[in-house]
Amino acid sequence: MQKQTKTAGRGRTLRLTVTAMLTAILVVMAFTPLGYLRIGALSLTLLMVPIIVGAVTQGPAVSAFLGAVFGITSFIQCFTGDVLGSILLSESAVRTFIVCFVPRLLAGWLCGVIFSACAKRDPKKRWSVLVASISGSLLNTVLFLGFLALFFMNLTFTPEQSASLGGADTVLNTVIAIAASTNAPIELLVCAVLGSAVGKGVVVALQKIRN
């Protein structure tokens, strides 16, 4: 009984440690060039990578928490120079927060759920980590663009705002432009490769620690 208690305590400590480390990494990435690859007014985000790692090592609850952290940092970016975010913020702070926060929380949680479901059929994690990596990035893009279109469908940009966004004159056209551009596929590919590689590495390392 005492041995089981120690093992359980060690597992909780390890879980908290990994979660804290991933949170710190995510925050650092969010506020440094490590987290975003800027391309004009738009950007590729690598912030789903620590969330994917959390999903494959700690489960849906932790990946949802990390997704929430991502959402909060995304909202903060609206106050610190993000072009599209600042435009949305001037229209409605509440709707901007929802668009920034809810899709990231859902993407994190669903990534963890998908991995957990796949891992039951893939005990050695030969392909489930890759599936989680792809789904995490894809969900982040689809949910964000979907919420953006839903909450700001009728928002029209001024000529100055349109010029700063590369010519799109409405939110709907911006959503279509992002979805049709090379940004989304590149982000998906990068997150799939990094998430899969880092995720598998962390899984192996944690297994060694637990043993």
Side-chain angles (χ1 to χ4, degrees):
M1 180 65 70
Q2 188 175 4
K3 184 177 181 181
Q4 290 179 342
T5 302
K6 288 183 178 180
T7 302
R10 184 181 178 186
R12 285 193 295 270
T13 300
L14 183 60
R15 181 181 178 86
L16 288 173
T17 301
V18 172
T19 301
M21 290 178 62
L22 290 173
T23 302
I25 291 170
L26 196 154
V27 171
V28 169
M29 290 178 66
F31 297 108
T32 66
L34 295 173
Y36 293 93
L37 176 60
R38 303 288 180 181
I39 302 178
L42 304 177
S43 61
L44 302 177
T45 178
L46 303 179
L47 294 181
M48 280 305 297
V49 173
I51 297 172
I52 292 166
V53 174
V56 303
T57 60
Q58 306 301 318
V62 170
S63 58
F65 168 76
L66 294 171
V69 174
F70 177 15
I72 292 171
T73 64
S74 179
F75 182 63
I76 293 173
Q77 295 281 349
C78 297
F79 297 88
T80 60
D82 181 82
V83 177
L84 179 59
S86 61
I87 294 173
L88 300 181
L89 189 64
S90 65
E91 180 72 12
S92 170
V94 173
R95 282 184 286 158
T96 300
F97 178 77
I98 293 172
V99 169
C100 290
F101 181 78
V102 177
R104 277 56 188 263
L105 185 149
L106 289 176
W109 177 69
L110 289 171
C111 181
V113 170
I114 290 171
F115 173 76
S116 297
C118 292
K120 292 178 181 179
R121 299 185 178 184
D122 179 36
K124 295 185 178 180
K125 298 178 177 61
R126 291 172 177 168
W127 51 266
S128 52
V129 176
L130 178 60
V131 171
S133 300
I134 294 173
S135 63
S137 178
L138 186 61
L139 284 165
N140 175 56
T141 300
V142 171
L143 288 171
F144 173 73
L145 294 181
F147 271 70
L148 179 60
L150 177 65
F151 283 89
F152 291 95
M153 176 69 75
N154 298 319
L155 178 60
T156 300
F157 304 135
T158 65
E160 294 78 13
Q161 292 171 339
S162 177
S164 67
L165 290 170
D169 57 351
T170 66
V171 161
L172 184 58
N173 285 341
T174 301
V175 170
I176 294 172
I178 295 173
S181 71
T182 58
N183 288 34
I186 293 174
E187 183 178 302
L188 177 63
L189 178 61
V190 172
C191 285
V193 173
L194 288 180
S196 182
V198 177
K200 286 183 179 179
V202 175
V203 167
V204 172
L206 289 178
Q207 286 176 341
K208 292 182 178 179
I209 293 173
R210 292 189 180 103
N211 295 334

